[in-house]
Amino acid sequence: MKASRLLMPTLREAPAEADIISHILMLRAGLIRKLAAGVYSYLPLGIKVLKNIENIIREEMDKAGAQELLMSALLPAESYQKSGRWDRFGDDMFRLQDRNKRDFCLGPTHEEIFTETVIDSVHSYRDYPFTLYQIQTKYRDERRPRFGVMRTREFLMKDAYSFDISKEGLDDSYKAMYQAYKNIFDRMGLNYMIVDADSGAMGGSGSQEFMVISDVGEDTIAYCEKCRYSANTEKAVCLSGNKSTEEMLPLRKVSTPNAKTIEEVASFFGKHEDSFVKTMIYKAGDKHVAVCVRGDREINEVKLSNLLGGDEVSLADPDDVVRITNAKVGFAGPFGIGIDVICDNEVMNMRNFIVGANETDCHLENVNPERDFTPSIVSDIRLISAGDICPVCGGEIKTAQGIEVGHIFKLGTKYSESLGLNYVDENGKENPVIMGCYGIGINRCIAAIIEQHSDENGIIWPAEAAPYKAVVVPVNVKDEVQMNLALEIYDSLEKAGIQVIIDDRDERPGVKFKDWDLIGIPVRITVGKKAGEGIVEYKLRSEKEYSEIGSKEAIQKAEAYIL
Ligand code: ATP
Ligand code: MG
């Protein structure tokens, strides 16, 4: 490719709309342009990267024995109505009607459609197992599209679905995808962690996320360096800790005028927040519950929702809190509250703590659960934090931010049961098919790679992802000797099957170098004054130094590096 023919609108300045490195560099390097919030166009260099990522994924999925197919993005409502997700997706789903007023959506994910396709295709146990996948556009009307292509409303996903007739079969299919994902993310040059993930209240038996470690990641990962336990904090297990050996003191009501927040109450009593138990009133479906955790802890709403059967949970309206507690907001407690009390497991091991008294300006001191009240449910419902105890080995938990690039999930029979995907076994009996699903966000992978591979001059692509692998830069395009040698190198690289650019633009070398550093081409071969002696400059984007070597050697080195 000649640089003079390439649409590569690089920008010198960081555009105001972008605030993270990958977004800034994708705009500056001319990979993408924004059309609307969470909607992007891919320019020629951008689509090359996208295709490279697709190819890595396609190769590894094929190698793992999965079969590619392609579903429509325009999908009839009925499929999602049957599974219940037409309602559950809410405003996240892009909906539309055809000319006959029939409801459709733009597919946010395709479990239903794959399941129905298999229903229509095979029936006997002999036809199983198999894994299907597609690389296709998804639509989600995200509440907060942001960070460039990291979270968009239209994005490419590789979604795969496995179909088995035994639990062991599902385990094997899941393992094959797990290994394929490792190969995929290794080839992308990503530094990632594989973490236990939440699988919802009824969402099957196992789920893991592939998290790219990055400060801009929206997920928090809890991990232990000692035993390598790692989990999304949504999922990470919190232990109850040791039982306090303090003597139980007499229960006491204390007047606490104007102290409402946990900080205010703590300073009133002159105690640390961990001497308190806070009680939060939640709305879960159509009922209310009181949730108690230690004063310095956070409630994990994902765990709470799972505990309550998958209902969406949110903090109760202040009016409801007043009605339920018979007090102003800020004085809720577990005593005589008239709704179910859910206690975090840690609270049960505490002694002599302070709670709200369900009476304005009053708290109760020296509360002891084994003596004073019985919760309706005791469970792990708090969010893990750095410094907590590892649930596996007792080591110390650390936390890091992660970008979720992939998710693998044992669905079990959730969709086969709701949609009626059965196989007929050897005895002529019908049983539900056991499914798994496996997603990778393709656009998000590009952003994640850049977050981990850049410097002050621009992107540093791992060779497999790079839009072009090498660039040949004649310093003076009007110098015939330089231009001829540059073309010779260009031709041999191209013949070797390397995607290569020749920078035939009549620009100063500094301008050219800046562009290729920004775009992140892995290998640069500069042909300058020593062209007559057959000597060129060979430089890798990932290294600061260049070497002066013969043109033949430069070609060999480039081939060895790229191929
Ligand atoms: P998130 O929690 O980030 O919203 P998700 O749990 O909704 O992700 P899945 O439904 O599991 O994601 O989708 C599979 C993959 O698709 C994710 O691992 C992620 O890489 C990608 N993905 C999901 N939503 C988006 C989006 N809005 N923009 C770009 N990629 C996305
Ligand atoms: Mg999402």
Side-chain angles (χ1 to χ4, degrees):
M1 176 51 116
K2 288 181 173 162
S4 61
R5 300 288 170 83
L6 186 62
L7 178 68
M8 43 178 277
T10 52
L11 307 171
R12 290 281 159 253
E13 301 296 325
E17 67 184 88
D19 46 14
I20 63 167
I21 294 291
S22 56
H23 190 193
I24 293 170
L25 289 178
M26 287 182 80
L27 289 166
R28 283 194 54 209
L31 304 182
I32 54 165
R33 287 293 179 263
K34 179 174 161 182
L35 267 182
V39 183
Y40 287 87
S41 306
Y42 282 74
L43 303 184
L45 289 171
I47 194 75
K48 285 237 172 231
V49 178
L50 203 64
K51 295 283 173 204
N52 291 340
I53 303 294
E54 274 187 40
N55 283 342
I56 294 175
I57 295 173
R58 191 171 272 120
E59 280 176 24
E60 295 298 333
M61 293 306 289
D62 290 348
K63 209 155 72 180
Q67 303 164 65
E68 184 169 5
L69 43 66
L70 183 62
M71 302 292 181
S72 169
L74 180 65
L75 302 167
E78 289 80 13
S79 307
Y80 291 89
Q81 283 160 345
K82 268 189 231 159
S83 73
R85 290 211 289 186
W86 183 257
D87 292 327
R88 215 165 318 127
F89 268 115
D91 287 340
D92 280 358
M93 195 183 238
F94 278 105
R95 297 157 203 266
L96 63 163
Q97 287 188 331
D98 70 7
R99 62 175 74 207
N100 300 315
K101 301 276 175 277
R102 223 182 127 195
D103 286 320
F104 282 83
C105 69
L106 297 176
T109 177
H110 278 73
E111 280 80 359
E112 286 81 351
I113 315 303
F114 273 77
T115 310
E116 289 184 339
T117 303
V118 176
I119 292 176
D120 291 341
S121 308
V122 289
H123 306 285
S124 162
Y125 70 95
R126 286 193 207 92
D127 301 317
Y128 291 88
F130 51 88
T131 297
L132 306 173
Y133 78 97
Q134 65 173 346
I135 292 178
Q136 197 250 20
T137 311
K138 303 279 188 252
Y139 295 88
R140 294 181 186 178
D141 196 357
E142 296 273 356
R143 188 187 297 272
R144 289 221 297 160
R146 61 181 191 148
F147 291 165
V149 301
M150 200 85 90
R151 182 173 297 285
T152 51
R153 299 195 293 170
E154 181 193 70
F155 59 97
L156 268 180
M157 196 199 284
K158 184 287 299 169
D159 47 330
Y161 306 86
S162 63
F163 299 87
D164 278 278
I165 56 172
S166 70
K167 280 218 164 64
E168 298 71 38
L170 171 62
D171 288 345
D172 289 344
S173 302
Y174 185 90
K175 268 188 216 138
M177 287 297 112
Y178 179 95
Q179 186 55 49
Y181 274 43
K182 276 177 48 172
N183 300 346
I184 288 167
F185 296 122
D186 286 345
R187 284 176 66 180
M188 289 184 199
L190 288 169
N191 169 21
Y192 60 94
M193 272 168 96
I194 305 169
V195 309
D196 291 350
D198 176 57
S199 43
M202 47 189 236
S205 52
S207 156
Q208 285 166 301
E209 288 162 340
F210 288 71
M211 292 283 190
V212 172
I213 308 305
S214 162
D215 288 343
V216 305
E218 293 182 291
D219 286 87
T220 308
I221 303 161
Y223 65 96
C224 170
E225 280 172 345
K226 220 166 113 192
C227 72
R228 318 206 87 196
Y229 171 76
S230 58
N232 192 316
T233 50
E234 285 180 352
K235 163 88 180 176
V237 176
C238 299
L239 299 181
S240 57
N242 295 328
K243 203 165 189 72
S244 163
T245 51
E246 263 179 53
E247 287 283 311
M248 282 195 253
L249 301 173
L251 186 66
R252 216 161 65 90
K253 186 146 105 182
V254 183
S255 167
T256 53
N258 299 323
K260 280 183 302 195
T261 65
I262 190 82
E263 295 85 15
E264 287 164 355
V265 186
S267 89
F268 179 91
F269 281 94
K271 287 193 169 171
H272 187 256
E273 287 173 20
D274 62 10
S275 307
F276 294 78
V277 166
K278 59 184 173 191
T279 306
M280 314 290 278
I281 312 297
Y282 270 89
K283 190 164 191 298
D286 50 11
K287 67 173 197 169
H288 286 91
V289 292
V291 185
C292 299
V293 291
R294 203 172 81 182
D296 58 338
R297 302 294 196 185
E298 298 296 328
I299 291 168
N300 183 329
E301 293 184 354
V302 173
K303 287 182 186 171
L304 182 62
S305 162
N306 289 344
L307 184 69
L308 298 172
D311 281 336
E312 209 168 285
V313 298
S314 57
L315 281 172
D317 295 333
D319 290 351
D320 287 326
V321 177
V322 169
R323 180 177 51 78
I324 290 164
T325 62
N326 264 321
K328 283 193 191 160
V329 173
F331 300 94
F335 284 80
I337 191 162
I339 55 175
D340 282 346
V341 175
I342 301 173
C343 246
D344 185 48
N345 55 16
E346 180 181 55
V347 170
M348 305 311 286
N349 282 339
M350 294 169 65
R351 284 268 166 95
N352 301 321
F353 54 79
I354 298 161
V355 298
N358 295 321
E359 187 180 325
T360 302
D361 292 340
C362 276
H363 281 80
L364 293 169
E365 194 178 22
N366 301 331
V367 176
N368 291 287
E370 69 254 60
R371 180 190 69 191
D372 301 327
F373 73 98
T374 313
S376 323
I377 307 176
V378 176
S379 183
D380 162 20
I381 42 156
R382 71 179 187 275
L383 203 60
I384 203 162
S385 50
D388 279 357
I389 299 166
C390 169
V392 173
C393 75
E396 190 184 319
I397 287 293
K398 296 194 168 156
T399 57
Q401 295 308 112
I403 302 167
E404 181 198 322
V405 285
H407 192 174
I408 56 178
F409 202 139
K410 290 183 186 173
L411 286 172
T413 54
K414 181 175 167 185
Y415 291 95
S416 42
E417 279 181 17
S418 63
L419 299 168
L421 170 59
N422 295 312
Y423 68 92
V424 179
D425 69 17
E426 290 106 317
N427 306 315
K429 195 172 151 269
E430 290 208 338
N431 302 289
V433 171
I434 303 172
M435 291 172 59
C437 75
Y438 316 91
I440 295 180
I442 294 179
N443 321 64
R444 192 179 284 184
C445 285
I446 301 179
I449 293 172
I450 299 173
E451 286 299 326
Q452 288 192 339
H453 298 276
S454 74
D455 64 11
E456 65 283 3
N457 299 319
I459 303 168
I460 307 175
W461 290 115
E464 280 224 60
Y468 288 89
K469 315 303 177 193
V471 58
V472 184
V473 185
V475 171
N476 179 1
V477 293
K478 293 187 182 123
D479 180 318
E480 227 170 89
V481 179
Q482 288 186 22
M483 203 55 196
N484 284 342
L485 183 59
L487 279 168
E488 209 176 281
I489 298 168
Y490 172 78
D491 284 340
S492 359
L493 290 177
E494 202 161 54
K495 277 207 192 84
I498 290 173
Q499 291 181 303
V500 54
I501 294 181
I502 180 154
D503 195 346
D504 57 341
R505 297 174 300 168
D506 190 8
E507 291 278 3
R508 282 183 295 116
V511 172
K512 297 184 181 184
F513 294 161
K514 266 213 164 67
D515 273 342
W516 304 121
D517 280 353
L518 176 60
I519 294 166
I521 306 300
V523 175
R524 187 175 83 203
I525 299 175
T526 307
V527 184
K529 286 210 181 79
K530 293 188 181 166
E533 305 155 49
I535 296 204
V536 298
E537 279 173 27
Y538 179 86
K539 183 179 178 302
L540 295 182
R541 175 67 182 87
S542 57
E543 287 174 8
K544 289 262 172 288
E545 308 302 324
Y546 64 85
S547 50
E548 282 197 342
I549 53 179
S551 61
K552 295 272 175 307
E553 194 190 344
I555 293 167
Q556 278 166 11
K557 276 184 114 168
E559 288 180 8
Y561 184 74
I562 295 158
L563 296 175

